[in-house]
Amino acid sequence: MTKPLSKRILGYVVLIAFLIAILLPFYWMFVSSFEPNTDISSYPPAYFPKHWTFQHYAEAFGQFHFGRYILNSVIVAVVSTFIVLAFSSMAGFAIARLPVSGKRPMLIFLLIISVFPPLVVITPLYMLLRDVGWLDSYQALIIPYTAFNLPFAIWILRNYFLQVPGALFEAAKIDGSSVFTAFWRIFLPLTTPGLFTAAVFTFVACWTEFFMALVFNPSNTMRTIPVGIALFSGQYTVPYGTIFAGSVVSIVPIVLLVIIFRKWIVSGLTQGAVKG
């Protein structure tokens, strides 16, 4: 039974209004990154730049060394994502398919960790990293990021491994394959959507994390993108155009990831949520 025309029109109107509310701040940020400072602060504001300039991007990469911040964020996010995928895939497979004792308490514990606020452990983590001499280093962020993103990735991949028929595992064992061989050659290729989902969520979480990056890596050469943008401000002025330019550059990888892997992300979330 089809919906009445009035209800469909109302649905489209609500959807369009919702999209405008979401996209308008991003459009404003993008436009402002190409406007001179005088146009940014003008009133009434212009919804389309009258004068285009790349000055803010030049300041971000020249005066504020934004390229270094990008390099730091790429190293931290990529390495953390690979480590999380390596451990979470093996752990998810073990919980889903191997006779591991205490699975339910283990899953509850992982769920608790996944919702645990990182702010609570900032102080002891800082003292630990200080004592081992790891402050202002990549591992100061890679290890905490891995620890805090691992539980969620395990949950995603564990649920996805449950969708693979168990008969494949039994057939592999009959053929003489080891557990690791069955995991690597049979189950892992079949869980590609789940791997992409866990990878994208982990990468975005590491790419956008602010507080630990601010506390653990305070030096200018080790700052990541969120911290670098937050510290763009001068002593007497706030360079809004430069902040907008850095923000535009920072969201490009996230947008590209979502666009390129959107099918795998949706498939990983939906298929991995059938069994609990």
Side-chain angles (χ1 to χ4, degrees), residues 71-146:
L71 176 62
N72 294 336
S73 292
V74 168
I75 293 175
V76 170
V78 171
V79 174
S80 300
T81 300
F82 273 105
I83 297 176
V84 167
L85 287 181
F87 284 99
S88 62
S89 58
M90 291 186 288
F93 174 77
I95 296 175
R97 290 301 176 188
L98 299 183
V100 180
S101 59
K103 288 184 179 181
R104 186 162 297 275
M106 190 183 306
L107 290 173
I108 295 174
F109 179 71
L110 290 175
L111 182 61
I112 294 174
I113 295 178
S114 63
V115 298
F116 198 78
L119 182 62
V120 179
V121 296
I122 285 293
T123 300
L125 275 177
Y126 178 86
M127 297 176 64
L128 177 62
L129 293 172
R130 181 197 61 190
D131 292 341
V132 298
W134 280 0
L135 292 177
D136 278 327
S137 64
Y138 291 127
Q139 60 266 30
L141 297 180
I142 292 174
I143 294 176
Y145 287 176
T146 300

Side-chain angles (χ1 to χ4, degrees), residues 9-27:
I9 294 176
L10 179 61
Y12 286 130
V13 171
V14 173
L15 179 60
I16 293 173
F18 183 70
L19 289 175
I20 292 175
I22 293 177
L23 296 177
L24 185 59
F26 292 99
Y27 171 77

